[in-house]
Amino acid sequence: MSADLRERRLRGLRPMVGRTPLVSVRLRYRGREGRVHAKAEYLNLTGSIKDRMALHICQTAIEQGALGPDHTIVEATSGNTGIAFAALGAALGQPVVIFMPDWMSEERKAVIRSFGADIRLVSREAGGFLGSIANAETLGRELGRVFLPRQFDNQANIHAHATTTGPELVAQLARLGLTPGAFVAGVGTGGTVMGVAEAFSRLGIRAHVHPLEPAESPTLSTGHKVGRHRIQGVSDEFIPGILRLDSLAPVIQVNDGDAILMAQKLARELGLGVGISSGANLLGAIQVAERAEWRTPVATIFCDDNKKYLSTDLAKAEPVRSGFMSPDVELLDFETTPAAGESRV
Ligand code: PMP
Protein backbone atom coordinates (compact mmCIF):
# COMPACT_ATOMS: atom_id res chain seq x y z
CA MET A 1 0.00 0.00 0.00
CA SER A 2 1.35 3.45 -0.90
CA ALA A 3 2.30 5.95 1.81
CA ASP A 4 -0.50 8.25 0.61
CA LEU A 5 -3.13 5.56 0.86
CA ARG A 6 -1.91 4.53 4.34
CA GLU A 7 -2.12 8.16 5.46
CA ARG A 8 -5.66 8.40 4.03
CA ARG A 9 -6.64 5.21 5.84
CA LEU A 10 -5.23 6.57 9.12
CA ARG A 11 -7.24 9.77 8.61
CA GLY A 12 -10.34 7.66 8.05
CA LEU A 13 -9.73 5.65 11.23
CA ARG A 14 -9.01 8.53 13.60
CA PRO A 15 -12.59 9.80 14.08
CA MET A 16 -13.63 6.24 15.00
CA VAL A 17 -11.24 5.99 17.95
CA GLY A 18 -11.46 7.92 21.20
CA ARG A 19 -13.72 10.85 22.12
CA THR A 20 -16.04 8.42 23.88
CA PRO A 21 -19.03 9.58 25.93
CA LEU A 22 -18.77 9.76 29.72
CA VAL A 23 -21.56 7.82 31.42
CA SER A 24 -22.38 9.03 34.93
CA VAL A 25 -24.18 6.16 36.67
CA ARG A 26 -26.39 7.16 39.58
CA LEU A 27 -26.73 4.39 42.15
CA ARG A 28 -27.54 3.54 45.75
CA TYR A 29 -25.09 1.39 47.70
CA ARG A 30 -25.77 0.38 51.30
CA GLY A 31 -28.13 3.27 51.88
CA ARG A 32 -25.98 5.98 50.27
CA GLU A 33 -26.76 7.54 46.92
CA GLY A 34 -23.93 8.63 44.65
CA ARG A 35 -22.51 8.66 41.15
CA VAL A 36 -19.65 6.91 39.37
CA HIS A 37 -18.39 8.24 36.03
CA ALA A 38 -17.26 5.80 33.33
CA LYS A 39 -15.77 6.34 29.86
CA ALA A 40 -17.80 4.24 27.38
CA GLU A 41 -14.80 2.66 25.67
CA TYR A 42 -16.86 -0.05 24.03
CA LEU A 43 -17.89 2.60 21.48
CA ASN A 44 -14.44 2.58 19.87
CA LEU A 45 -13.75 1.17 16.37
CA THR A 46 -13.45 -2.50 17.37
CA GLY A 47 -15.33 -2.19 20.63
CA SER A 48 -12.65 -1.70 23.26
CA ILE A 49 -10.28 0.72 24.92
CA LYS A 50 -7.36 -0.97 23.17
CA ASP A 51 -8.16 0.80 19.88
CA ARG A 52 -6.68 3.99 21.35
CA MET A 53 -3.36 2.34 22.10
CA ALA A 54 -3.21 0.33 18.86
CA LEU A 55 -3.94 3.33 16.61
CA HIS A 56 -1.50 5.53 18.50
CA ILE A 57 1.25 2.88 18.32
CA CYS A 58 0.68 2.27 14.57
CA GLN A 59 0.64 5.97 13.84
CA THR A 60 3.82 6.64 15.84
CA ALA A 61 5.59 3.64 14.31
CA ILE A 62 4.67 4.73 10.76
CA GLU A 63 5.94 8.25 11.46
CA GLN A 64 9.20 6.88 12.87
CA GLY A 65 9.65 4.40 10.01
CA ALA A 66 9.37 1.34 12.30
CA LEU A 67 6.19 0.10 10.61
CA GLY A 68 6.84 -0.10 6.87
CA PRO A 69 4.18 -1.14 4.34
CA ASP A 70 5.64 -4.65 4.07
CA HIS A 71 5.97 -5.29 7.82
CA THR A 72 3.97 -7.95 9.64
CA ILE A 73 2.48 -6.81 12.97
CA VAL A 74 3.13 -9.48 15.64
CA GLU A 75 1.64 -9.13 19.13
CA ALA A 76 0.78 -11.14 22.25
CA THR A 77 -2.61 -10.31 23.75
CA SER A 78 -5.52 -11.45 25.88
CA GLY A 79 -7.82 -10.48 23.03
CA ASN A 80 -8.82 -6.86 22.66
CA THR A 81 -5.36 -5.73 21.56
CA GLY A 82 -5.32 -8.54 19.03
CA ILE A 83 -8.70 -7.47 17.70
CA ALA A 84 -7.57 -3.83 17.50
CA PHE A 85 -4.33 -4.63 15.62
CA ALA A 86 -6.09 -7.15 13.37
CA ALA A 87 -8.55 -4.45 12.27
CA LEU A 88 -5.87 -1.76 11.86
CA GLY A 89 -3.64 -4.21 9.98
CA ALA A 90 -6.51 -4.91 7.57
CA ALA A 91 -7.14 -1.17 7.08
CA LEU A 92 -3.43 -0.41 6.56
CA GLY A 93 -2.68 -3.46 4.42
CA GLN A 94 -0.32 -5.10 6.95
CA PRO A 95 -0.38 -8.83 7.74
CA VAL A 96 -1.03 -9.51 11.45
CA VAL A 97 -0.01 -12.48 13.63
CA ILE A 98 -1.58 -12.71 17.09
CA PHE A 99 -0.41 -14.99 19.94
CA MET A 100 -3.10 -15.49 22.57
CA PRO A 101 -3.65 -17.84 25.54
CA ASP A 102 -6.10 -20.55 24.41
CA TRP A 103 -8.51 -20.02 27.33
CA MET A 104 -9.72 -16.62 26.11
CA SER A 105 -13.30 -16.40 24.82
CA GLU A 106 -14.26 -18.03 21.51
CA GLU A 107 -15.64 -14.70 20.33
CA ARG A 108 -12.18 -13.12 20.68
CA LYS A 109 -10.65 -15.81 18.48
CA ALA A 110 -13.43 -15.57 15.85
CA VAL A 111 -13.30 -11.77 15.69
CA ILE A 112 -9.50 -11.77 15.22
CA ARG A 113 -9.87 -14.32 12.40
CA SER A 114 -12.69 -12.26 10.84
CA PHE A 115 -10.17 -9.48 10.14
CA GLY A 116 -7.96 -11.95 8.27
CA ALA A 117 -5.29 -12.12 10.98
CA ASP A 118 -3.32 -15.26 11.73
CA ILE A 119 -4.07 -16.32 15.33
CA ARG A 120 -1.82 -18.75 17.23
CA LEU A 121 -3.19 -20.11 20.48
CA VAL A 122 -0.88 -20.90 23.39
CA SER A 123 -1.95 -23.43 26.05
CA ARG A 124 -1.15 -23.20 29.78
CA GLU A 125 1.33 -26.04 29.31
CA ALA A 126 3.05 -24.09 26.51
CA GLY A 127 3.43 -21.07 28.76
CA GLY A 128 0.09 -19.24 28.55
CA PHE A 129 0.56 -15.51 28.58
CA LEU A 130 4.30 -15.40 29.06
CA GLY A 131 4.59 -18.09 26.38
CA SER A 132 2.59 -15.87 23.99
CA ILE A 133 5.01 -13.00 24.55
CA ALA A 134 8.06 -15.26 24.08
CA ASN A 135 6.55 -16.69 20.87
CA ALA A 136 5.92 -13.19 19.49
CA GLU A 137 9.56 -12.25 20.15
CA THR A 138 10.84 -15.47 18.55
CA LEU A 139 8.69 -15.02 15.45
CA GLY A 140 9.86 -11.41 15.27
CA ARG A 141 13.48 -12.58 15.13
CA GLU A 142 12.72 -15.31 12.58
CA LEU A 143 10.56 -13.33 10.16
CA GLY A 144 12.63 -10.24 9.62
CA ARG A 145 10.29 -7.48 8.34
CA VAL A 146 8.23 -7.44 11.54
CA PHE A 147 6.77 -4.76 13.78
CA LEU A 148 6.37 -5.76 17.45
CA PRO A 149 4.11 -3.27 19.31
CA ARG A 150 5.13 -4.82 22.69
CA GLN A 151 2.16 -3.30 24.49
CA PHE A 152 3.38 -4.36 27.96
CA ASP A 153 6.64 -2.42 27.58
CA ASN A 154 5.83 0.33 25.08
CA GLN A 155 5.65 3.86 26.52
CA ALA A 156 3.41 4.81 23.56
CA ASN A 157 0.71 2.70 25.25
CA ILE A 158 0.82 5.11 28.23
CA HIS A 159 1.08 8.11 25.91
CA ALA A 160 -2.14 7.13 24.10
CA HIS A 161 -4.08 7.45 27.37
CA ALA A 162 -2.10 10.43 28.68
CA THR A 163 -3.05 12.41 25.56
CA THR A 164 -6.61 11.15 24.98
CA THR A 165 -8.40 9.12 27.68
CA GLY A 166 -7.17 11.24 30.60
CA PRO A 167 -7.72 14.73 29.12
CA GLU A 168 -11.12 13.71 27.72
CA LEU A 169 -12.20 12.48 31.14
CA VAL A 170 -11.06 15.68 32.85
CA ALA A 171 -12.81 17.87 30.24
CA GLN A 172 -16.06 15.90 30.45
CA LEU A 173 -16.10 16.02 34.27
CA ALA A 174 -15.36 19.77 34.09
CA ARG A 175 -18.51 20.19 32.01
CA LEU A 176 -20.39 18.62 34.93
CA GLY A 177 -18.66 21.09 37.25
CA LEU A 178 -16.41 18.33 38.70
CA THR A 179 -12.70 17.60 39.15
CA PRO A 180 -11.71 13.94 39.49
CA GLY A 181 -10.79 12.88 43.02
CA ALA A 182 -10.03 9.27 42.13
CA PHE A 183 -9.75 6.94 39.15
CA VAL A 184 -9.94 3.15 39.29
CA ALA A 185 -9.21 0.68 36.48
CA GLY A 186 -8.33 -2.97 36.05
CA VAL A 187 -4.74 -3.53 34.92
CA GLY A 188 -3.93 -5.51 31.79
CA THR A 189 -0.87 -3.72 30.49
CA GLY A 190 -1.36 -0.83 32.91
CA GLY A 191 -1.47 1.60 29.98
CA THR A 192 -4.82 3.02 31.08
CA VAL A 193 -3.93 3.68 34.75
CA MET A 194 -0.43 4.97 33.98
CA GLY A 195 -1.66 7.22 31.15
CA VAL A 196 -4.58 8.66 33.09
CA ALA A 197 -2.27 9.27 36.08
CA GLU A 198 0.16 11.09 33.79
CA ALA A 199 -2.65 13.25 32.37
CA PHE A 200 -3.82 14.16 35.88
CA SER A 201 -0.35 15.16 36.96
CA ARG A 202 0.24 17.23 33.79
CA LEU A 203 -3.06 19.00 34.35
CA GLY A 204 -2.23 19.65 38.00
CA ILE A 205 -4.98 17.36 39.31
CA ARG A 206 -4.21 15.57 42.56
CA ALA A 207 -6.40 12.50 42.17
CA HIS A 208 -5.75 8.98 43.48
CA VAL A 209 -5.27 6.49 40.65
CA HIS A 210 -6.01 2.95 41.84
CA PRO A 211 -5.03 -0.14 39.84
CA LEU A 212 -7.57 -2.96 40.19
CA GLU A 213 -7.00 -6.73 40.17
CA PRO A 214 -9.14 -9.87 40.58
CA ALA A 215 -9.28 -11.03 44.23
CA GLU A 216 -8.79 -14.64 43.01
CA SER A 217 -5.55 -13.81 41.21
CA PRO A 218 -3.79 -10.97 43.04
CA THR A 219 -0.70 -10.72 40.86
CA LEU A 220 -0.18 -7.00 41.55
CA SER A 221 -0.31 -7.50 45.31
CA THR A 222 1.90 -10.59 45.36
CA GLY A 223 4.25 -9.84 42.46
CA HIS A 224 3.69 -13.15 40.69
CA LYS A 225 1.05 -15.36 39.07
CA VAL A 226 -1.43 -16.76 41.61
CA GLY A 227 -4.69 -18.61 41.02
CA ARG A 228 -7.10 -18.18 38.12
CA HIS A 229 -9.80 -15.65 37.39
CA ARG A 230 -12.54 -14.83 34.87
CA ILE A 231 -11.99 -11.10 34.28
CA GLN A 232 -10.53 -11.44 30.77
CA GLY A 233 -8.21 -8.62 29.75
CA VAL A 234 -6.80 -7.91 33.22
CA SER A 235 -4.21 -9.58 35.44
CA ASP A 236 -2.29 -11.42 32.75
CA GLU A 237 -0.07 -13.42 35.14
CA PHE A 238 2.83 -10.96 35.58
CA ILE A 239 3.54 -7.33 36.41
CA PRO A 240 3.82 -5.37 33.14
CA GLY A 241 7.01 -3.43 32.41
CA ILE A 242 5.22 -0.08 31.98
CA LEU A 243 3.37 -0.33 35.32
CA ARG A 244 4.92 1.67 38.18
CA LEU A 245 2.92 0.58 41.21
CA ASP A 246 4.91 2.86 43.52
CA SER A 247 3.58 5.90 41.61
CA LEU A 248 -0.05 4.84 42.09
CA ALA A 249 -2.62 4.62 44.91
CA PRO A 250 -3.26 1.25 46.64
CA VAL A 251 -4.48 -1.73 44.59
CA ILE A 252 -8.23 -2.45 44.74
CA GLN A 253 -9.53 -6.02 44.58
CA VAL A 254 -12.81 -7.28 43.16
CA ASN A 255 -14.12 -10.84 43.06
CA ASP A 256 -14.66 -12.14 39.51
CA GLY A 257 -18.16 -13.50 40.25
CA ASP A 258 -19.13 -10.12 41.68
CA ALA A 259 -17.80 -8.45 38.51
CA ILE A 260 -19.92 -10.79 36.37
CA LEU A 261 -23.05 -10.02 38.43
CA MET A 262 -22.37 -6.27 38.18
CA ALA A 263 -21.88 -6.40 34.39
CA GLN A 264 -25.11 -8.42 34.05
CA LYS A 265 -26.95 -5.84 36.13
CA LEU A 266 -25.66 -2.93 34.01
CA ALA A 267 -27.02 -4.69 30.90
CA ARG A 268 -30.35 -5.75 32.37
CA GLU A 269 -31.23 -2.65 34.34
CA LEU A 270 -29.65 0.19 32.38
CA GLY A 271 -29.15 -1.27 28.90
CA LEU A 272 -25.39 -0.79 29.19
CA GLY A 273 -24.09 -4.07 27.72
CA VAL A 274 -20.55 -4.14 29.06
CA GLY A 275 -17.87 -6.81 29.59
CA ILE A 276 -16.68 -8.39 32.84
CA SER A 277 -13.81 -5.96 33.51
CA SER A 278 -16.28 -3.06 33.27
CA GLY A 279 -18.38 -4.68 36.02
CA ALA A 280 -15.21 -5.04 38.10
CA ASN A 281 -14.27 -1.42 37.44
CA LEU A 282 -17.67 -0.14 38.58
CA LEU A 283 -17.39 -2.16 41.82
CA GLY A 284 -13.84 -0.89 42.38
CA ALA A 285 -15.00 2.68 41.86
CA ILE A 286 -17.86 2.16 44.33
CA GLN A 287 -15.36 0.85 46.94
CA VAL A 288 -13.23 3.96 46.53
CA ALA A 289 -16.22 6.34 46.53
CA GLU A 290 -17.62 4.71 49.67
CA ARG A 291 -14.29 5.03 51.47
CA ALA A 292 -14.33 8.75 50.58
CA GLU A 293 -17.94 8.90 51.88
CA TRP A 294 -19.13 9.78 48.36
CA ARG A 295 -17.59 13.24 48.72
CA THR A 296 -15.22 13.07 45.75
CA PRO A 297 -15.90 12.32 42.06
CA VAL A 298 -14.68 8.83 41.16
CA ALA A 299 -14.16 7.78 37.56
CA THR A 300 -13.49 4.52 35.78
CA ILE A 301 -13.68 2.76 32.40
CA PHE A 302 -16.24 0.57 30.67
CA CYS A 303 -13.50 -1.20 28.66
CA ASP A 304 -15.49 -3.31 26.21
CA ASP A 305 -18.97 -4.63 25.54
CA ASN A 306 -20.67 -7.91 26.41
CA LYS A 307 -20.72 -9.41 22.90
CA LYS A 308 -17.33 -11.12 23.24
CA TYR A 309 -18.53 -12.92 26.38
CA LEU A 310 -21.73 -14.61 25.17
CA SER A 311 -20.00 -18.02 25.36
CA THR A 312 -18.65 -17.30 28.87
CA ASP A 313 -20.04 -17.17 32.41
CA LEU A 314 -21.24 -13.62 31.71
CA ALA A 315 -24.18 -15.17 29.82
CA LYS A 316 -24.91 -17.73 32.58
CA ALA A 317 -26.51 -17.59 36.04
CA GLU A 318 -23.75 -16.56 38.44
CA PRO A 319 -24.10 -17.63 42.10
CA VAL A 320 -24.13 -14.86 44.70
CA ARG A 321 -21.52 -15.43 47.40
CA SER A 322 -21.21 -13.82 50.80
CA GLY A 323 -19.18 -10.63 50.75
CA PHE A 324 -20.28 -9.71 47.21
CA MET A 325 -21.07 -6.04 46.68
CA SER A 326 -23.27 -6.19 43.57
CA PRO A 327 -26.45 -7.42 45.35
CA ASP A 328 -26.31 -4.19 47.37
CA VAL A 329 -25.86 -1.95 44.33
CA GLU A 330 -29.12 -0.42 43.18
CA LEU A 331 -28.71 1.15 39.74
CA LEU A 332 -30.97 4.19 39.50
CA ASP A 333 -30.20 6.16 36.37
CA PHE A 334 -27.47 7.50 34.14
CA GLU A 335 -26.57 10.70 32.37
CA THR A 336 -24.23 10.97 29.36
CA THR A 337 -21.70 13.70 28.56
CA PRO A 338 -20.39 13.52 24.98
CA ALA A 339 -16.76 14.28 24.22
CA ALA A 340 -15.90 17.52 22.49
CA GLY A 341 -13.38 18.21 19.71
CA GLU A 342 -11.44 16.00 17.35
CA SER A 343 -9.76 12.71 18.24
CA ARG A 344 -6.17 13.30 19.36
CA VAL A 345 -4.93 9.73 19.10
N1 PMP B 1 -10.38 -4.72 30.28
C1 PMP B 1 -10.31 -5.39 29.12
C2 PMP B 1 -11.50 -6.15 28.65
C3 PMP B 1 -9.10 -5.37 28.38
O1 PMP B 1 -9.02 -6.04 27.23
C4 PMP B 1 -7.99 -4.64 28.88
C5 PMP B 1 -6.70 -4.64 28.10
N2 PMP B 1 -5.99 -5.85 28.15
C6 PMP B 1 -8.11 -3.99 30.11
C7 PMP B 1 -9.32 -4.04 30.77
C8 PMP B 1 -6.93 -3.27 30.75
O2 PMP B 1 -6.40 -2.20 30.04
P1 PMP B 1 -4.85 -1.85 30.09
O3 PMP B 1 -4.15 -2.82 29.19
O4 PMP B 1 -4.77 -0.44 29.59
O5 PMP B 1 -4.37 -1.97 31.50
Side-chain angles (χ1 to χ4, degrees):
M1 187 179 284
S2 73
D4 274 3
L5 182 52
R6 275 210 308 179
E7 185 43 48
R8 258 208 322 282
R9 292 277 170 94
L10 281 174
R11 269 206 304 280
L13 290 164
R14 261 175 232 141
M16 293 192 276
V17 177
R19 294 173 60 218
T20 54
L22 183 71
V23 186
S24 301
V25 178
R26 203 160 60 78
L27 55 90
R28 194 175 295 119
Y29 179 65
R30 297 187 178 153
R32 290 287 290 267
E33 204 176 302
R35 280 194 303 180
V36 167
H37 310 272
K39 290 283 280 172
E41 292 303 309
Y42 54 94
L43 297 177
N44 281 302
L45 175 73
T46 72
S48 90
I49 188 156
K50 302 309 296 202
D51 288 333
R52 291 180 187 263
M53 181 264 326
L55 181 56
H56 181 70
I57 285 183
C58 284
Q59 217 164 247
T60 310
I62 287 173
E63 280 161 21
Q64 295 172 348
L67 175 55
D70 59 343
H71 278 78
T72 300
I73 300 173
V74 180
E75 182 63 306
T77 159
S78 56
N80 279 324
T81 295
I83 293 170
F85 278 118
L88 295 184
L92 299 172
Q94 328 266 172
V96 177
V97 180
I98 296 299
F99 288 95
M100 189 168 82
D102 66 358
W103 60 86
M104 296 299 164
S105 74
E106 289 309 312
E107 291 88 341
R108 280 166 158 70
K109 299 168 196 166
V111 175
I112 290 171
R113 285 192 194 104
S114 78
F115 287 114
D118 176 356
I119 180 167
R120 312 211 182 153
L121 299 173
V122 181
S123 66
R124 279 186 210 281
E125 299 69 43
F129 222 102
L130 290 168
S132 300
I133 295 175
N135 286 347
E137 293 292 329
T138 306
L139 186 68
R141 281 191 298 273
E142 284 168 8
L143 273 187
R145 313 277 304 157
V146 155
F147 173 65
L148 296 158
R150 296 192 176 105
Q151 57 167 342
F152 293 96
D153 296 299
N154 192 335
Q155 292 297 322
N157 179 358
I158 295 178
H159 196 244
H161 298 290
T163 52
T164 70
T165 321
E168 286 173 27
L169 173 61
V170 171
Q172 285 164 308
L173 285 173
R175 279 169 45 215
L176 297 171
L178 304 171
T179 307
F183 177 80
V184 185
V187 168
T189 61
T192 308
V193 281
M194 293 302 293
V196 169
E198 190 177 311
F200 286 170
S201 102
R202 270 204 222 141
L203 294 165
I205 293 167
R206 293 163 65 89
H208 300 282
V209 175
H210 295 270
L212 179 148
E213 68 182 357
E216 295 78 7
S217 179
T219 299
L220 299 181
S221 302
T222 58
H224 53 86
K225 171 180 155 40
V226 226
R228 285 188 190 183
H229 70 92
R230 296 175 290 168
I231 311 178
Q232 295 188 26
V234 309
S235 198
D236 295 322
E237 308 188 338
F238 59 95
I239 298 194
I242 58 170
L243 185 71
R244 292 275 167 272
L245 280 176
D246 55 3
S247 70
L248 300 172
V251 177
I252 302 289
Q253 291 189 351
V254 169
N255 187 284
D256 65 1
D258 213 2
I260 287 172
L261 289 164
M262 194 68 251
Q264 290 174 341
K265 214 167 181 164
L266 280 163
R268 286 176 196 163
E269 297 180 14
L270 294 182
L272 302 173
V274 295
I276 302 172
S277 71
S278 305
N281 280 353
L282 180 57
L283 291 174
I286 293 172
Q287 282 185 38
V288 171
E290 190 191 33
R291 252 176 253 166
E293 301 194 327
W294 295 95
R295 286 205 189 102
T296 188
V298 180
T300 188
I301 302 285
F302 289 160
C303 313
D304 66 355
D305 67 27
N306 58 4
K307 296 187 197 68
K308 285 188 304 279
Y309 303 92
L310 299 175
S311 68
T312 75
D313 288 355
L314 185 60
K316 297 181 189 140
E318 179 66 24
V320 175
R321 299 196 195 286
S322 74
F324 276 15
M325 299 169 63
S326 49
D328 296 329
V329 179
E330 196 184 336
L331 297 173
L332 302 172
D333 198 5
F334 65 89
E335 182 190 354
T336 304
T337 308
E342 287 301 310
S343 167
R344 296 161 59 203
V345 172

